[in-house]
Amino acid sequence: MGKSSWRLLFLGFMFLSLNVRNSVSRFVVEKNSLMVTSPEKIKGSHDSAIGNFGIPQYGGSMAGSVVYPKENRKGCKGFDEFGISFHSKPGALPTFVLVDRGDCFFAFKVWNAQKAGASAVLVADNIEEALITMDTPEEDSSSAKYIENITIPSALIDKGFDETLKKELSGGEMVNVNLDWREAVPHPDDRVEY
């Protein structure tokens, strides 16, 4: 190989290495804020990750009372099978259902809670990790039927915070929270996209 061939090879290598480094991208987890408003001892703000399905209240917020069901805690079956309803009583705050991660798709958990009357769903992570985006399953004939009909917001909360909520709820406390999307990026069709 001559000198000019080596030069061209070197320049080609440099060009490729610079472009590969600059073309690496990250998946950004879209977050919203979850503020506990009561009880007093756990008041505070926590991050949560918005699911990429359903309809978050971009530019707004939503207050609700958290419920952790005694049965079907992962939300993988219809709550009607257990005689559970999350419809709010007149004058009460909307119901935010807390379900555990695992055993079925995130979107399916939210769909089951929505059918039972939930206004929003909080999914409790079962792994100590950074928040991830709750993703929709690859569409097939069964998942397509419910994914496009999810109209409530959902958020993944981290394991430590979920344990705090569960402790308060098991002690009989009423836990009220406010989901806030004012700092989340709006989307033209009001759905989460990536």
Side-chain angles (χ1 to χ4, degrees):
M1 245 184 190
K3 229 179 187 181
S4 62
S5 296
W6 280 107
R7 235 183 249 145
L8 285 174
L9 184 62
F10 176 74
L11 289 174
F13 174 76
M14 292 302 293
F15 177 77
L16 283 174
S17 66
L18 289 173
N19 282 329
V20 167
R21 189 174 357 167
N22 291 333
S23 68
V24 174
S25 62
R26 299 179 316 161
F27 183 83
V28 177
V29 175
E30 191 172 15
K31 294 181 182 177
N32 65 318
S33 175
L34 189 148
M35 175 69 73
V36 177
T37 56
S38 71
E40 187 69 35
K41 62 184 166 188
I42 64 166
K43 272 186 175 181
S45 183
H46 304 270
D47 280 339
S48 57
I50 301 172
N52 72 353
F53 48 84
I55 304 176
Q57 309 292 324
Y58 286 115
S61 63
M62 180 181 196
S65 184
V66 180
V67 172
Y68 184 50
K70 290 187 182 347
E71 298 176 280
N72 196 26
R73 290 192 160 176
K74 291 188 177 177
C76 294
K77 294 182 179 179
F79 287 96
D80 58 339
E81 293 179 37
F82 301 89
I84 298 172
S85 171
F86 301 117
H87 291 280
S88 301
K89 294 183 171 109
L93 285 172
T95 304
F96 290 8
V97 177
L98 176 64
V99 294
D100 294 325
R101 182 179 179 181
D103 293 351
C104 63
F105 295 121
F106 292 120
F108 194 59
K109 296 171 185 295
V110 175
W111 174 240
N112 284 333
Q114 176 181 303
K115 289 189 307 179
S119 297
V121 175
L122 303 176
V123 178
D125 204 345
N126 58 355
I127 302 168
E128 290 284 350
E129 65 180 352
L131 290 171
I132 62 168
T133 297
M134 294 186 297
D135 205 359
T136 56
E138 285 192 31
E139 284 197 38
D140 58 20
S141 59
S142 64
S143 65
K145 293 175 187 171
Y146 65 84
I147 291 171
E148 63 189 33
N149 292 307
I150 296 174
T151 59
I152 64 173
S154 59
L156 180 71
I157 60 173
D158 69 47
K159 186 175 181 186
F161 177 51
D162 117 70
E163 289 170 354
T164 300
L165 289 180
K166 288 175 183 173
K167 180 180 175 188
E168 294 303 312
L169 291 166
S170 68
E173 291 286 347
M174 179 179 274
V175 177
N176 295 325
V177 300
N178 187 26
L179 283 171
D180 189 339
W181 295 272
R182 286 180 287 195
E183 293 186 22
V185 178
H187 299 276
D189 63 357
D190 290 329
R191 289 193 176 275
V192 178
E193 298 170 1
Y194 63 100

